[in-house]
Amino acid sequence: MPTFELLSHPSAPSATVRAITVTATRPARDRIALEYRIHGGLDAIRWPDPAASDFAHELWMHTCFEAFVAGEGDFYRELNLSPSTRYAIYDFNGYRGRMRDADERDIAIAFDRATATLTAEVAMPALADVDEWRLGLTTVVEDISGAKSFWALSHPRDEPDFHNQAGFVARLAAPLRA
């Protein structure tokens, strides 16, 4: 199971969080399993209130775990996974191009506030035929003062921009076909 460590964007360092780790696996050709864990001053983070697991927009405006999954072309999918257990799944064609809500919403999400661990498994049939996914793993952390830090595997620009595919640096191979 590959585990990745996210880096804070230098323009918005966190006074609260020491590290964020993400474990990413592909249990089936059409599924991704993610486990995010925040390490640091958890009491200083502004956590969204628990809510029913349902689709919601603008989750990234507060503490939110994200994943960007791309194949070989310009199509990519964005997952927004809130500690509230709300989620959003968007599809794009090119850099922020033709954003639309994904039709596929087969998702299981859970959050353990005591350990600041979010787990999610998401079905992605639209990317099932891709042998190797390119991943951008990211997190927005809002502290109790309202300040935000932006975490990613890589920050290719001077300002935080999770959609920049130069930041999709992790690779996740499909399991062998049966």
Side-chain angles (χ1 to χ4, degrees):
M1 279 192 293
T3 299
F4 304 94
E5 187 160 332
L6 304 186
L7 307 169
S8 178
H9 194 279
S11 71
S14 175
T16 309
V17 177
R18 284 191 328 272
I20 299 175
T21 55
V22 185
T23 302
T25 59
R26 198 166 167 189
R29 291 191 67 85
D30 68 340
R31 298 189 83 74
I32 188 167
L34 300 161
E35 180 182 283
Y36 291 81
R37 181 166 293 192
I38 296 179
H39 308 269
L42 304 181
D43 291 337
I45 296 173
R46 179 175 287 161
W47 300 108
D49 292 331
S53 185
D54 200 3
F55 192 96
H57 293 286
E58 298 185 339
L59 297 171
W60 55 269
M61 295 181 74
H62 303 286
T63 300
C64 186
F65 303 93
E66 301 181 4
F68 295 79
V69 184
E72 298 163 0
D74 65 350
F75 173 83
Y76 67 95
R77 176 162 285 174
E78 176 184 358
L79 308 175
N80 291 181
L81 309 166
S82 173
S84 71
T85 73
R86 290 194 170 136
Y87 63 88
I89 305 172
Y90 302 111
D91 288 339
F92 294 85
N93 288 92
Y95 177 76
R96 297 183 186 268
R98 290 193 48 226
M99 177 182 157
R100 60 207 174 274
D101 297 352
D103 291 332
E104 304 160 358
R105 296 191 187 168
D106 180 1
I107 181 170
I109 182 172
F111 181 67
D112 180 345
R113 186 170 173 171
T115 62
T117 302
L118 181 132
T119 56
E121 187 168 321
V122 184
M124 297 196 297
L127 288 159
D129 291 335
V130 178
D131 289 330
E132 184 177 68
W133 291 343
R134 294 177 296 120
L135 302 179
L137 302 171
T138 65
T139 302
V140 176
V141 177
E142 182 179 25
D143 69 26
I144 55 176
S145 75
K148 293 182 184 129
S149 58
F150 303 91
W151 298 75
L153 293 170
S154 171
H155 294 283
R157 301 187 64 187
D158 290 340
E159 67 279 341
D161 182 2
F162 297 158
H163 288 262
N164 186 325
Q165 290 197 38
F168 297 6
V169 298
R171 301 292 183 263
L172 199 54
L176 297 176
R177 293 185 191 264

